[in-house]
Coordinates of all heavy atoms in Angstrom, one line a residue:
A268 N 18.5 2.8 6.1 CA 18.1 2.2 7.4 C 18.9 2.9 8.6 O 18.4 3.0 9.7 CB 18.5 0.7 7.4
D269 N 20.1 3.4 8.3 CA 20.8 4.2 9.3 C 20.0 5.3 9.8 O 19.9 5.6 11.1 CB 22.1 4.7 8.8 CG 23.2 3.6 8.6 OD1 23.0 2.5 9.2 OD2 24.2 3.9 7.9
L270 N 19.4 6.1 8.9 CA 18.5 7.2 9.3 C 17.3 6.8 10.0 O 16.9 7.4 11.0 CB 18.2 8.0 8.0 CG 17.3 9.2 8.2 CD1 17.9 10.2 9.3 CD2 17.0 9.9 6.9
V271 N 16.6 5.7 9.5 CA 15.5 5.2 10.2 C 15.8 4.8 11.6 O 15.0 5.1 12.5 CB 14.9 3.9 9.4 CG1 13.8 3.2 10.2 CG2 14.4 4.4 8.1
S272 N 16.9 4.1 11.8 CA 17.3 3.8 13.2 C 17.5 5.0 14.1 O 17.1 5.0 15.2 CB 18.6 3.0 13.1 OG 19.2 2.8 14.4
F273 N 18.1 6.0 13.5 CA 18.3 7.3 14.3 C 17.0 7.9 14.7 O 16.8 8.3 15.8 CB 19.2 8.2 13.5 CG 19.5 9.5 14.2 CD1 20.3 9.5 15.3 CD2 19.1 10.7 13.6 CE1 20.6 10.7 15.9 CE2 19.4 11.9 14.2 CZ 20.2 11.9 15.4
L274 N 16.1 8.0 13.7 CA 14.8 8.7 14.0 C 14.0 7.9 14.9 O 13.2 8.4 15.7 CB 14.1 8.9 12.7 CG 14.7 9.9 11.7 CD1 14.0 9.9 10.4 CD2 14.8 11.3 12.3
A275 N 14.1 6.5 14.9 CA 13.3 5.7 15.8 C 13.9 5.6 17.2 O 13.1 5.2 18.1 CB 13.3 4.3 15.2
G276 N 15.1 5.9 17.3 CA 15.8 5.7 18.6 C 16.3 7.0 19.3 O 15.5 7.7 20.0
P277 N 17.6 7.3 19.1 CA 18.1 8.4 19.9 C 17.7 9.8 19.5 O 17.8 10.7 20.3 CB 19.7 8.2 19.6 CG 19.7 7.6 18.3 CD 18.5 6.6 18.3
S278 N 17.1 10.0 18.3 CA 16.7 11.3 17.9 C 15.4 11.7 18.5 O 14.4 11.1 18.0 CB 16.7 11.4 16.4 OG 16.1 12.6 16.0
R279 N 15.3 12.6 19.4 CA 14.1 13.0 20.0 C 13.8 14.5 19.7 O 12.8 15.0 20.2 CB 14.0 12.8 21.5 CG 14.2 11.4 21.9 CD 13.2 10.4 21.3 NE 11.8 10.9 21.5 CZ 10.8 10.4 20.7 NH1 11.0 9.6 19.7 NH2 9.6 10.9 20.9
W280 N 14.7 15.2 19.0 CA 14.5 16.6 18.8 C 14.4 17.0 17.3 O 14.3 18.1 16.9 CB 15.7 17.4 19.4 CG 15.5 18.9 19.6 CD1 16.3 19.9 19.2 CD2 14.4 19.5 20.3 NE1 15.8 21.1 19.5 CE2 14.6 20.9 20.2 CE3 13.2 19.1 20.9 CZ2 13.7 21.9 20.7 CZ3 12.4 20.0 21.5 CH2 12.6 21.4 21.4
I281 N 14.4 15.9 16.5 CA 14.1 16.1 15.1 C 12.6 15.7 14.9 O 12.3 14.5 15.1 CB 15.0 15.2 14.2 CG1 16.5 15.7 14.3 CG2 14.6 15.4 12.7 CD1 17.4 14.8 13.6
N282 N 11.8 16.6 14.5 CA 10.4 16.4 14.4 C 9.8 17.3 13.4 O 10.2 18.4 13.2 CB 9.7 16.7 15.8 CG 8.3 16.3 15.8 OD1 7.8 15.3 15.2 ND2 7.5 17.0 16.6
G283 N 8.8 16.7 12.6 CA 8.1 17.5 11.6 C 9.1 17.9 10.5 O 8.9 19.0 9.9
Q284 N 10.0 17.0 10.1 CA 10.9 17.4 9.0 C 10.9 16.3 7.9 O 10.5 15.2 8.1 CB 12.4 17.3 9.6 CG 12.6 18.3 10.8 CD 12.3 19.7 10.5 OE1 12.8 20.2 9.4 NE2 11.6 20.4 11.3
V285 N 11.3 16.8 6.7 CA 11.6 15.9 5.6 C 13.1 15.9 5.5 O 13.8 16.9 5.3 CB 11.0 16.5 4.3 CG1 11.4 15.6 3.1 CG2 9.5 16.6 4.4
I286 N 13.7 14.7 5.6 CA 15.1 14.5 5.6 C 15.5 13.8 4.3 O 15.1 12.6 4.1 CB 15.6 13.7 6.8 CG1 15.1 14.4 8.1 CG2 17.1 13.6 6.8 CD1 15.4 13.7 9.4
R287 N 16.3 14.4 3.5 CA 16.7 13.9 2.2 C 18.0 13.1 2.4 O 19.0 13.7 2.7 CB 16.9 14.9 1.2 CG 15.5 15.6 0.8 CD 15.7 16.8 -0.1 NE 14.5 17.2 -0.7 CZ 14.3 18.4 -1.2 NH1 15.3 19.3 -1.3 NH2 13.1 18.8 -1.7
T288 N 17.9 11.8 2.3 CA 19.1 10.9 2.4 C 19.5 10.5 1.0 O 19.1 9.5 0.5 CB 18.9 9.8 3.4 OG1 20.0 8.9 3.4 CG2 17.6 9.0 3.0

Side-chain angles (χ1 to χ4, degrees):
D269 286 344
L270 178 57
V271 170
S272 171
F273 181 64
L274 294 173
S278 170
R279 300 306 305 162
W280 196 234
I281 297 175
N282 187 32
Q284 304 299 316
V285 177
I286 305 173
R287 291 173 172 164
T288 173

